[in-house]
């Protein structure tokens, strides 16, 4: 889709040079998380362990043992999900679930190892060893805290009332403020070059101490400082750099300009106006005058106006230039989350027992399900009363 030379967006722009490719902002945030989880060594090891944990407890008998142990310990029942690049909040949910049922997982794995009645005992030993490492616990807490903040950002991007401008401001705040992700005091990095183990010793068991191993003690650094430098900063740098790479200033500037246009701010919307003025045959002086008049008209009614006020005030006959630009502005999406939910809804509606459903009925049911925030306010009694007036109704004697 996003290919620069042979992607769908490149093929469309070859025919329509003014077309703007807007990658779903919620999807881009998810890709930032995926990159961090896969390419930072510490997080990669952590999620590999969580993935092995999911596979281990995917068998019904083992999963039932875990549920029974959670009940026995008085814990809230949590399930471990599959790690997926396309399920946007599975990374955060799994970290949360592991921390909540950590005690139950340890007990179940220890029982499996003691009883040795399963062929997967060696797998249980390896998972248990990783789970009980101090570095794993610290990584899990840090990742859970970081992902909880990123999850909020992703949910904000998927909001139906989100705009490109608001989303751009949020992203810019995240990339500018390093401490917004987690409440760990930010300290300047030590510029001293770190001493490392010699490469020729990587495959050997070293019985004597080296300076690299005891650098932490020699420099009188606390454990908190060590994990801040070797885990927190790595994760933070990965997220910030990927946010900057995937949300370039050029794409954000157009998004902010569109938002300013919706506020009838001429100076702030010049990037958007200049991009489309030739295509739509718009005179900048005319649109500036129209925006001034329209803003004055709306402010007399409501100083804090929204898109509904614009739709009422902006008439094609009176404000032709704003009307054209407004049509374009409303077509630029923030995310594709709603569209993707529609595909998920189709599988829930047309099940195996409904294979004979005709297209018209399927379409109507899909609309009712997808737009449930509207349909939930419908009074069903009124509908039943209306249907009862139909000539098809028969009075049973």
């Amino acid at each position: 889709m996003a290919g620069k030379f042979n992607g769908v967006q490149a093929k469309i722009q070859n025919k329509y040079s003014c077309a703007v490719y807007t990658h779903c902002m919620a999807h881009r945030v998810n890709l930032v998380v995926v990159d961090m989880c896969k390419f930072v060594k510490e997080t990669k090891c952590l999620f590999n362990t969580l993935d092995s944990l999911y596979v281990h407890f995917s068998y019904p008998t083992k999963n039932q043992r875990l549920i029974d142990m959670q009940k026995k310990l008085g814990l809230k029942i949590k399930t471990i999900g599959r790690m997926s690049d396309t399920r946007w909040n599975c990374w955060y949910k799994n970290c949360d679930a592991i921390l909540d049922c950590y005690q139950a997982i340890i007990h179940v794995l220890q029982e499996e190892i003691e009883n040795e009645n399963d062929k997967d005992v060696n797998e249980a030993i390896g998972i248990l060893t990783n789970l009980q490492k101090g570095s794993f616990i610290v990584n899990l807490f840090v990742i859970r805290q970081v992902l909880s903040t990123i999850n909020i950002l992703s949910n904000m991007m998927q909001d139906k009332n989100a705009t490109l401008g608001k989303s751009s401001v949020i992203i810019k705040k995240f990339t500018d403020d390093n401490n917004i992700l987690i409440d760990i005091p930010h300290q300047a990095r030590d510029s001293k070059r770190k001493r490392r183990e010699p490469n020729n010793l990587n495959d050997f068991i070293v019985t004597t101490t080296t300076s690299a191993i005891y650098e932490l003690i020699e420099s009188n650094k606390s454990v908190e400082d060590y994990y801040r430098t070797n885990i927190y900063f790595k994760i933070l740098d990965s997220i910030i750099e990927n946010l900057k790479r995937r949300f370039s200033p050029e794409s954000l500037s157009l998004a902010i300009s569109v938002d300013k246009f919706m506020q009838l701010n001429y100076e702030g919307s010049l990037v958007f106006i200049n991009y489309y003025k030739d295509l739509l045959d718009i005179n900048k002086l005319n649109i500036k005058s129209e925006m001034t008049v329209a803003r004055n008209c709306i402010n007399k009614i409501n100083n804090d106006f929204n898109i509904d006020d614009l739709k009422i005030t902006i008439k094609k006959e009176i404000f032709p230039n704003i009307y054209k630009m407004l049509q374009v502005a409303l077509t630029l999406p923030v995310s594709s989350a709603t569209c993707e939910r529609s595909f998920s809804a189709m599988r829930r509606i047309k099940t195996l027992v409904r294979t004979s459903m005709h297209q018209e009925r399927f379409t109507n049911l899909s609309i009712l399900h997808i737009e449930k925030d509207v349909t939930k306010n419908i009074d069903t009694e009124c509908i039943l009363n209306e249907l009862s007036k139909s000539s098809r109704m028969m009075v049973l004697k």
Side-chain angles (χ1 to χ4, degrees):
M1 181 65 73
K4 187 180 294 185
F5 301 106
N6 293 316
V8 175
Q9 64 105 0
K11 294 181 184 297
I12 291 175
Q13 286 186 333
N14 286 337
K15 294 190 68 174
Y16 307 98
S17 58
C18 291
V20 176
Y21 171 61
T22 308
H23 193 177
C24 172
M25 287 201 169
H27 192 190
R28 278 190 275 180
V29 171
N30 178 66
L31 292 176
V32 170
V33 175
V34 171
D35 289 345
M36 181 268 293
C37 295
K38 287 188 173 180
F39 299 111
V40 177
K41 180 182 177 182
E42 287 73 17
T43 57
K44 184 177 180 180
C45 294
L46 183 142
F47 284 108
N48 284 342
T49 302
L50 296 191
D51 198 39
S52 300
L53 199 60
Y54 163 77
V55 173
H56 187 77
F57 284 105
S58 61
Y59 298 99
T61 53
K62 293 181 181 179
N63 187 51
Q64 188 58 47
R65 282 185 218 151
L66 180 60
I67 293 173
D68 294 340
M69 183 60 70
Q70 291 179 71
K71 292 178 179 177
K72 182 179 178 180
L73 297 175
L75 302 174
K76 186 177 179 180
I77 305 299
K78 289 288 184 76
T79 57
I80 305 168
R82 181 191 292 273
M83 294 297 175
S84 172
D85 293 351
T86 55
R87 292 172 59 200
W88 294 352
N89 58 357
C90 70
W91 308 88
Y92 166 67
K93 283 187 175 180
N94 277 347
C95 289
D96 204 40
I98 298 300
L99 282 173
D100 288 343
C101 62
Y102 180 81
Q103 188 179 2
I105 293 171
I106 296 297
H107 280 295
V108 172
L109 290 174
Q110 287 175 340
E111 286 182 1
E112 286 184 24
I113 295 169
E114 289 173 4
N115 296 332
E116 293 187 359
N117 56 358
D118 196 294
K119 63 180 181 179
D120 297 325
V121 171
N122 288 335
E123 183 183 82
I125 292 172
I127 294 173
L128 182 63
T129 302
N130 285 334
L131 289 177
Q132 292 180 324
K133 288 181 180 178
S135 58
F136 177 88
I137 302 298
V138 175
N139 283 338
L140 189 58
F141 272 99
V142 173
I143 288 292
R144 199 270 293 267
Q145 184 64 34
V146 171
L147 291 183
S148 66
T149 308
I150 294 291
N151 189 54
I152 295 171
L153 174 62
S154 180
N155 291 336
M156 292 170 70
M157 296 295 182
Q158 297 175 53
D159 186 15
K160 288 185 177 180
N161 296 321
T163 64
L164 283 172
K166 290 178 182 177
S167 303
S168 301
V169 170
I170 296 168
I171 291 295
K172 194 171 186 305
K173 180 64 176 174
F174 265 71
T175 54
D176 289 345
D177 189 352
N178 292 1
N179 287 323
I180 196 170
L181 293 171
I182 186 170
D183 188 19
I184 294 181
H186 187 286
Q187 295 181 0
R189 291 179 175 80
D190 187 1
S191 60
K192 181 181 176 182
R193 183 177 178 181
K194 304 300 181 185
R195 286 173 289 182
R196 301 179 182 277
E197 294 284 1
N199 292 333
N200 59 342
L201 298 179
N202 286 343
D203 299 326
F204 296 90
I205 299 175
V206 182
T207 57
T208 58
T209 60
T210 63
S211 59
I213 296 177
Y214 286 93
E215 183 181 3
L216 175 64
I217 300 174
E218 292 172 0
S219 58
N220 295 321
K221 287 185 178 179
S222 66
V223 175
E224 183 181 351
D225 291 332
Y226 173 80
Y227 283 114
R228 180 187 291 111
T229 303
N230 292 276
I231 297 177
Y232 168 63
F233 282 151
K234 283 185 180 180
I235 294 171
L236 198 62
D237 285 345
S238 174
I239 291 175
I240 298 299
E241 289 306 312
N242 277 300
L243 282 173
K244 289 179 178 178
R245 180 170 61 87
R246 295 193 179 274
F247 296 90
S248 63
E250 294 77 15
S251 63
L252 295 182
S253 62
L254 181 61
I256 294 171
S257 183
V258 171
D259 212 46
K260 294 294 183 182
F261 178 80
M262 305 292 266
Q263 300 168 10
L264 298 178
N265 181 337
Y266 175 76
E267 297 298 333
S269 59
L270 278 174
V271 174
F272 177 54
I273 293 171
N274 289 331
Y275 193 86
Y276 284 105
K277 65 181 179 64
D278 295 330
L279 177 68
L280 301 177
D281 192 20
I282 289 173
N283 184 285
K284 290 175 66 175
L285 180 60
N286 291 342
I287 197 170
K288 181 178 181 181
S289 303
E290 289 181 15
M291 292 176 76
T292 303
V293 174
R295 186 172 59 252
N296 291 336
C297 292
I298 296 176
N299 284 339
K300 288 182 179 179
I301 304 171
N302 185 6
N303 289 329
D304 188 18
F305 58 89
N306 54 31
I307 186 62
D308 293 325
D309 297 320
L310 282 175
K311 288 191 289 186
I312 294 171
T313 306
I314 306 301
K315 303 296 182 183
K316 186 176 181 180
E317 299 78 14
I318 305 172
F319 306 102
N321 295 294
I322 298 180
Y323 189 86
K324 290 179 185 177
M325 296 293 293
L326 192 59
Q327 284 182 308
V328 175
L330 291 175
T331 62
L332 296 178
V334 178
S335 76
S336 60
T338 304
C339 306
E340 292 178 13
R341 289 194 192 103
S342 301
F343 287 100
S344 301
M346 290 167 65
R347 296 182 62 188
R348 291 193 293 269
I349 296 169
K350 194 164 186 177
T351 59
L352 291 174
V353 297
R354 292 175 177 167
T355 52
S356 61
M357 186 189 303
H358 292 294
Q359 183 62 42
E360 184 179 0
R361 177 178 173 81
F362 180 46
T363 301
N364 293 334
L365 285 175
S366 299
I367 292 172
L368 289 172
H369 181 78
I370 294 165
E371 304 296 339
K372 56 188 175 183
D373 55 334
V374 176
T375 56
K376 68 181 180 181
N377 298 321
I378 296 176
D379 187 356
T380 54
E381 289 296 326
C382 293
I383 297 174
L384 290 172
N385 292 334
E386 188 66 29
L387 289 174
S388 65
K389 300 175 184 178
S390 173
S391 58
R392 295 184 302 166
M393 298 295 293
M394 296 175 61
V395 179
L396 299 176
K397 296 182 180 179

